Amino acid sequence: MSSVFKLPEVINFWKVRGSYATVGLGLPTNISNAMIEYNKGYTYGVDAGTLVFPRSSFITDPTQKDLFPKPEFNKTFEAGTELRMLDNRLSFDITYYNSNTSNQLLETKIDSYFGGLKPGWYYINAGKIRNTGFESSLSYKVFNSEKFGWTTTVNASANKNKIVELFPSSLPIPEETFFSLAGGGEYTKLKLGGSFGDLYGIKFKRDDQGRILVNDKGVPLAESIPTYLGNLNPKFIMGFNNSFNIGKLGISFLIDGKFGGKVLSLTEKANDLYGVSQATADARDAGGVSVPNAVYAPGTPNAGQAYTGLTNAKDYYKTVGTTEGYGKGIDEAYLYSATTVRLRQASISYTFDINSKYMRNATVSLVGTNLFFFYKKHRLIRNRYQEIHLEG
């Protein structure tokens, strides 16, 4: 736009962009290798030094041609603008995108006969999955000289995905059917109209006012079937980066924030069952567990009355905790916010003048990633990939 129109002097550069692209993707390498059947199971195979576990198979029944493997297609529309101002010291960039992926290959579990398919794990081509969102950045060069420079940048992004279609409409599959996604355990489910990362599990049983129902001993009651708990993915991501150069010395740090999303602790759920967690020790020392916003359930002597006492720690944790897997215990008791703010990266570097025949200069840097949290909603959230390394 800045090369077409005459803009105010304060604006150095302005660009408006838009694009539409269609990209195809074939099947992953070696995924269709035939394996030898043995004792109604499959033996493992080795391919290029990698173990291949054939838990899932492609659908080859001629009556299910709509589910035969096919290439994945991604159709993406993007629109955005880039702006630089104040002698290029202030810059702003934002992009909106709408991405529709069809025939995405998923490894999923089918639990019952429908459409003529036997129960088991299959590779299927999901009908349509839509991602919409934006990515943006705002940067300002506070100081810009060789002796001292400081650039500060704020990045923000958000993404929302929706499963628009799972199977071809020709198959008689109820819309409310759930499917387990390989790698996500039994707790993440695929459902038409849902999203990737949706968590399902057992909740506390509540009355019409949202209060937890307890029995005559103060032990919480559980719902009978798993329901929606939340989504694993953050609703919003923000980063704050600062870079300084003091002569040949460079210093930078990046603060990263992820807001929203849920995390489910199955380890804590198991430890509580056996009474070996810190929470169970604290409950024993306190004389029991306090159940917030609770009332006695219908059918108990004090039905409808508020419960304000302490529940026996053993009775409570044997009810909410379990090692039996999906659909057991009370998962809601172990559901936490995944919101975190951390020091994602910090680095310090120095550039040495070499001025030799083969090298003009050399830079040595010390970089640390995922160093610590400024804020986290729950103590069990950890830095899984903390690293410090030297580069040159």
Side-chain angles (χ1 to χ4, degrees):
M1 302 295 287
S2 54
S3 61
V4 177
F5 300 102
K6 183 175 177 59
L7 301 174
E9 291 185 3
V10 71
I11 300 177
N12 305 109
F13 178 83
W14 182 25
K15 179 172 71 175
V16 176
R17 61 183 180 271
S19 67
Y20 178 81
T22 300
V23 180
L25 181 65
L27 296 176
T29 305
N30 297 328
I31 197 171
S32 59
N33 281 357
M35 308 302 294
I36 301 174
E37 189 173 8
Y38 179 73
N39 288 341
K40 298 182 180 180
Y42 289 93
T43 61
Y44 67 86
V46 179
D47 184 70
T50 302
L51 290 176
V52 181
F53 294 93
R55 175 175 61 175
S56 301
S57 62
F58 286 103
I59 295 170
T60 56
D61 188 342
T63 63
Q64 305 292 340
K65 291 184 178 180
D66 287 340
L67 296 178
F68 282 5
K70 54 182 73 73
E72 174 184 321
F73 283 99
N74 183 284
K75 299 178 181 180
T76 302
F77 167 75
E78 291 187 1
T81 186
E82 182 182 352
L83 194 66
R84 295 199 291 267
M85 306 171 64
L86 305 176
D87 293 329
N88 293 315
R89 297 181 69 173
L90 178 66
S91 61
F92 174 71
D93 192 311
I94 187 169
T95 300
Y96 165 82
Y97 61 86
N98 186 315
S99 173
N100 290 278
T101 303
S102 58
N103 301 330
Q104 184 171 355
L105 188 69
L106 302 175
E107 187 178 4
T108 186
K109 183 180 181 183
I110 294 176
D111 293 315
S112 58
Y113 288 84
F114 63 85
L117 292 178
K118 296 181 180 180
W121 285 91
Y122 292 94
Y123 291 112
I124 65 168
N125 291 107
K128 190 176 184 180
I129 298 169
R130 178 184 301 144
N131 283 275
T132 57
F134 75 91
E135 298 173 345
S136 64
S137 67
L138 178 65
S139 179
Y140 184 65
K141 296 178 181 179
V142 184
F143 296 99
N144 188 24
S145 68
E146 291 186 4
K147 292 185 177 181
F148 180 71
W150 173 20
T151 301
T152 183
T153 304
V154 177
N155 299 297
S157 65
N159 179 77
K160 185 176 182 180
N161 71 75
K162 183 179 181 180
I163 302 173
V164 180
E165 180 182 325
L166 265 178
F167 291 95
S169 57
S170 59
L171 295 178
I173 300 172
E175 292 186 1
E176 64 274 7
T177 305
F178 292 94
F179 300 92
S180 297
L181 187 64
E186 291 290 328
Y187 292 86
T188 55
K189 301 290 184 182
L190 297 178
K191 178 180 179 294
L192 187 65
S195 300
F196 264 86
D198 282 348
L199 279 171
Y200 286 81
I202 299 296
K203 290 184 176 181
F204 288 107
K205 196 168 188 178
R206 301 175 186 269
D207 64 8
D208 294 338
Q209 300 179 43
R211 298 175 297 183
I212 297 174
L213 297 176
V214 298
N215 63 17
D216 56 349
K217 295 183 179 180
V219 178
L221 304 182
E223 293 287 354
S224 58
I225 59 173
T227 53
Y228 178 74
L229 296 174
N231 191 280
L232 297 169
N233 299 305
K235 294 181 179 180
F236 184 72
I237 298 176
M238 178 174 282
F240 179 48
N241 185 73
N242 284 272
S243 299
F244 303 89
N245 66 279
I246 307 170
K248 297 176 183 179
L249 177 68
I251 301 172
S252 70
F253 64 88
L254 171 63
I255 297 174
D256 177 285
K258 294 184 177 181
F259 305 92
K262 298 294 182 180
V263 59
L264 181 64
S265 177
L266 301 181
T267 300
E268 190 177 24
K269 189 178 180 183
N271 289 339
D272 284 355
L273 172 68
Y274 295 119
V276 296
S277 66
Q278 186 61 48
T280 57
D282 293 341
R284 288 191 293 269
D285 293 341
V289 179
S290 176
V291 183
N293 193 28
V295 296
Y296 286 101
T300 60
N302 299 313
Q305 296 183 23
Y307 174 70
T308 58
L310 294 176
T311 303
N312 178 271
K314 183 177 181 180
D315 293 339
Y316 177 86
Y317 287 112
K318 279 192 172 294
T319 299
V320 299
T322 187
T323 57
E324 296 182 28
Y326 183 66
K328 302 294 182 180
I330 301 180
D331 300 302
E332 188 182 358
Y334 302 98
L335 188 71
Y336 308 106
S337 170
T339 295
T340 59
V341 179
R342 76 182 77 194
L343 182 60
R344 172 67 71 179
Q345 181 173 292
S347 67
I348 183 170
S349 63
Y350 192 83
T351 300
F352 297 90
D353 291 329
I354 305 297
N355 294 323
S356 68
K357 182 178 179 180
Y358 303 101
M359 186 180 295
R360 185 175 181 181
N361 56 52
T363 300
V364 177
S365 60
L366 181 66
V367 181
T369 58
N370 296 322
L371 297 174
F372 59 83
F373 288 100
F374 292 102
Y375 172 84
K376 59 179 180 178
K377 196 71 174 181
H378 193 263
R379 59 181 176 80
L380 291 178
I381 299 175
R382 298 183 176 89
N383 275 325
R384 294 183 58 193
Y385 304 106
Q386 189 176 61
E387 295 180 357
I388 297 177
H389 53 274
L390 185 67
E391 297 178 346

